[in-house]
């Protein structure tokens, strides 16, 4: 074994002697300090997710709303308006390249989003480009017996179009349809996604790759739940995941009876910025003039427990329960204090039950209410809600 290594070393030395290094860019570059204020800030173009010269990834299960989200974000960037509350750089040109849906379906979604968010055609003229894989398929790499073969002509064609039209953001949806290599092969996916990184760097644009999750068996997904090899996420500088709101959360939020889809957006992979908080989105149903109903993403904020509840409401509750011996537990058939509170606060004792219970616990913690006792059935003591410290204006 040692003799084999010695022989390889001799060949390496011989090879270097025969082919001396000529390229000066292989030499180390000395670091030169300069005032940090002179360094250009990071070139974010949308929130802290899309940035020039980098690849970002959005991961989501099917049917949550990832394509609809990217369409609304594209309209926000093209119009320069913060349609979903996220900051956007001005004067951006966006290229949506959907590799699954036909153009008619893309048009329906775009028209519906423009209608819902009041975006006029004049606001996006010359700034939004839309193509579909049904009309022009995209294949950046194939797998052969010799390994992965990058289709340079495809990438060069993309670069030419991006540069010719001054595209700032390119969205590829979904990533899996842009290549023909094994999505479980880390080496192959690494080669493919690195080509997207080179394209972003070469064209000074931001590239968004939309990706599916694997089956999560009901558990909340993360960006690491992306289907196939982990090399895709590793190459991205920002990654976010979409999760549909569970029925339990819908009940807590008071939207259990709403048939609309609610989902959370979580940026949990961030190399160039802090990890983002969970933000919520809702799929609104928009009726087009042709009769089609289309889902459009809109901002949705988790309701605060005390939205619309004032000090006067607390005083009214205290007067209503004072001396009544109403029960603390919501498991009783009648006499629960929450029923009286619901009527005063304009809530539904059934659908808003969890919210009412949270209000009770808050007022117990700050002393506005206290627990008492009274005799119950079979001489058992039961817990009641009584007035603690009376509220004042």
């Amino acid at each position: 074994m040692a003799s084999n290594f010695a022989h390889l070393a001799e060949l390496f030395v011989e090879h270097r002697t025969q082919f001396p290094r000529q390229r000066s860019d292989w030499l180390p570059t000395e670091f030169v300090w300069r005032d940090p204020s002179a360094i250009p800030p990071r070139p974010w173009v949308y929130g802290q997710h899309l940035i020039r010269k980098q690849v970002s990834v959005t991961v989501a299960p099917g049917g949550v709303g990832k394509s609809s989200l990217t369409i609304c974000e594209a309209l926000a960037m093209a119009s320069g308006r913060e349609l979903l509350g996220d900051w956007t750089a001005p004067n951006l040109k966006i290229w949506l390249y959907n590799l699954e849906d036909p153009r008619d379906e893309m048009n329906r979604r775009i028209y519906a989003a423009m209608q819902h968010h009041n975006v006029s055609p004049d606001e996006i003229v010359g700034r939004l480009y839309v193509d579909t894989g049904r009309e022009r398929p995209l294949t950046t790499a194939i797998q052969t017996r010799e390994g992965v073969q990058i289709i340079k002509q495809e990438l060069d064609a993309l670069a030419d179009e991006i540069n010719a039209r001054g595209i700032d953001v390119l969205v590829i949806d979904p990533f899996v349809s842009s290549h023909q290599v094994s999505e479980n092969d880390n080496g192959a996916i690494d080669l493919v996604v690195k080509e997207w990184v080179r394209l972003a760097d070469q064209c000074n644009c931001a590239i968004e790759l939309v990706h599916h999750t694997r089956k999560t068996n009901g558990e909340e997904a993360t960006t690491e739940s992306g289907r196939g090899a982990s090399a895709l996420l590793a190459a991205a500088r920002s990654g976010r995941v979409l999760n549909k709101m569970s029925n339990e959360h819908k009940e807590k939020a008071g939207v259990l009876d709403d048939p609309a889809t609610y989902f959370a957006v979580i940026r949990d992979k961030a190399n160039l910025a802090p990890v983002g908080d969970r933000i919520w989105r809702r799929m609104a149903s928009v009726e087009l003039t042709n009769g089609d109903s289309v889902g459009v993403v809109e901002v949705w904020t988790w309701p605060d427990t005390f939205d619309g509840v004032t000090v006067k409401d607390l005083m009214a509750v205290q007067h209503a329960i004072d001396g009544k011996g109403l029960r603390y537990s919501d498991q009783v058939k009648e006499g629960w204090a929450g029923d009286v509170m619901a009527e005063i606060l304009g809530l539904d004792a059934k659908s808003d039950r969890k919210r009412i219970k949270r209000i009770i616990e808050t007022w117990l913690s700050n002393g506005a209410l206290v627990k008492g006792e009274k005799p119950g059935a079979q001489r058992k003591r039961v817990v009641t809600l009584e007035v603690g410290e009376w509220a004042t204006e």
Side-chain angles (χ1 to χ4, degrees):
M1 181 67 73
S3 62
N4 287 341
F5 279 124
H7 178 61
L8 289 173
E10 290 175 3
L11 289 176
F12 178 70
V13 172
E14 181 182 352
H15 174 76
R16 291 190 60 188
T17 303
Q18 292 176 353
F19 303 98
R21 184 172 65 194
Q22 298 295 327
R23 293 176 54 188
S24 61
D25 61 340
W26 285 2
L27 298 176
T29 303
E30 180 184 357
F31 170 76
V32 178
W33 187 92
R34 60 174 175 162
D35 186 346
S37 63
I39 302 174
R42 290 188 175 117
W44 298 105
V45 295
Y46 189 76
Q48 288 188 316
H49 178 60
L50 297 177
I51 184 170
R52 292 187 188 277
K53 295 181 177 292
Q54 302 288 357
V55 165
S56 300
V57 173
T58 294
V59 178
V64 172
K66 54 185 178 295
S67 296
S68 297
L69 176 64
T70 57
I71 285 173
C72 278
E73 290 176 339
L75 288 172
M77 289 183 278
S79 66
R81 293 168 52 194
E82 298 179 7
L83 302 181
L84 297 177
D86 295 308
W87 173 85
T88 178
N91 304 318
L92 296 177
K93 291 185 177 181
I94 319 301
W95 187 3
L96 286 175
Y97 204 151
N98 187 293
L99 300 175
E100 287 185 334
D101 295 318
R103 183 171 295 276
D104 282 348
E105 184 57 33
M106 289 295 293
N107 287 341
R108 288 187 193 96
R109 294 180 179 184
I110 294 171
Y111 295 154
M114 292 177 67
Q115 176 180 315
H116 187 66
H117 291 289
N118 297 313
V119 177
S120 69
D122 291 341
E123 292 181 87
I124 62 170
V125 63
R127 315 205 68 81
L128 180 63
Y129 297 84
V130 182
D131 284 286
T132 168
R134 298 286 187 96
E135 298 172 1
R136 205 305 191 173
L138 176 65
T139 302
T140 61
I142 60 174
Q143 195 117 26
T144 68
R145 291 183 178 180
E146 289 72 31
V148 175
Q149 179 182 341
I150 301 298
I151 311 300
K152 191 173 184 300
Q153 297 93 324
E154 287 281 66
L155 292 161
D156 288 345
L158 284 173
D160 289 344
E161 297 303 323
I162 291 171
N163 290 327
R165 288 165 173 74
I167 300 296
D168 300 290
V169 178
L170 170 64
V171 180
I172 300 297
D173 180 13
F175 168 68
V176 69
S177 296
S178 70
H179 64 82
Q180 294 180 19
V181 307
S182 171
E183 66 176 357
N184 295 308
D185 185 333
N186 252 314
I189 294 299
D190 182 65
L191 290 173
V192 173
V193 73
K194 288 294 176 58
E195 290 299 325
W196 287 111
V197 175
R198 289 190 187 95
L199 184 66
D201 185 74
Q202 174 188 347
C203 298
N204 190 35
C205 67
I207 294 180
E208 169 95 285
L209 301 177
V210 181
H211 192 44
H212 298 289
T213 62
R214 61 177 180 270
K215 292 182 179 179
T216 60
N217 298 319
E219 295 185 2
E220 186 169 86
T222 69
T223 48
E224 295 181 352
S225 305
R227 208 169 70 182
S230 61
L232 171 61
L233 182 62
R237 287 298 168 263
S238 176
R240 60 182 181 176
V241 62
L242 278 52
N243 278 290
K244 187 181 291 187
M245 185 187 289
S246 66
N247 285 337
E248 181 181 357
H249 282 133
K250 291 186 77 172
E251 184 178 0
K252 288 181 179 179
V255 296
L256 187 58
D257 296 331
D258 188 345
T261 296
Y262 292 77
F263 63 90
V265 182
I266 309 167
R267 189 167 51 82
D268 62 356
K269 197 273 169 104
N271 291 51
L272 304 179
V275 172
D277 295 326
R278 181 187 301 253
I279 58 176
W280 291 97
R281 299 286 183 254
R282 179 182 182 272
M283 293 292 292
S285 181
V286 176
E287 297 292 330
L288 295 179
T289 54
N290 70 349
D292 287 334
S293 179
V294 183
V296 173
V297 175
E298 64 180 10
V299 173
W300 184 80
T301 304
W302 190 277
D304 184 88
T305 298
F306 284 89
D307 274 349
V309 179
T310 66
V311 175
K312 286 185 177 180
D313 292 322
L314 170 56
M315 294 171 63
V317 168
Q318 288 179 321
H319 284 288
I321 70 171
D322 185 34
K324 302 295 194 305
L326 297 175
R327 299 283 292 273
Y328 164 74
S329 173
D330 66 325
Q331 300 300 310
V332 295
K333 292 183 178 180
E334 57 182 22
W336 179 45
D339 291 324
V340 174
M341 290 176 55
E343 186 174 350
I344 293 172
L345 301 178
L347 301 176
D348 185 281
K350 183 178 179 181
S351 61
D352 294 319
R353 183 171 295 264
K354 290 191 176 182
R355 181 184 177 188
I356 294 170
K357 291 172 67 175
R358 290 196 299 270
I359 292 174
I360 289 173
E361 295 306 320
T362 301
W363 283 343
L364 282 171
S365 66
N366 63 26
L369 299 178
V370 295
K371 292 180 181 179
E373 284 188 348
K374 72 175 185 180
Q378 300 177 351
R379 297 183 178 180
K380 289 183 178 180
R381 308 294 292 180
V382 295
V383 180
T384 61
L385 269 186
E386 309 294 343
V387 177
E389 182 178 351
W390 284 91
T392 57
E393 288 287 352

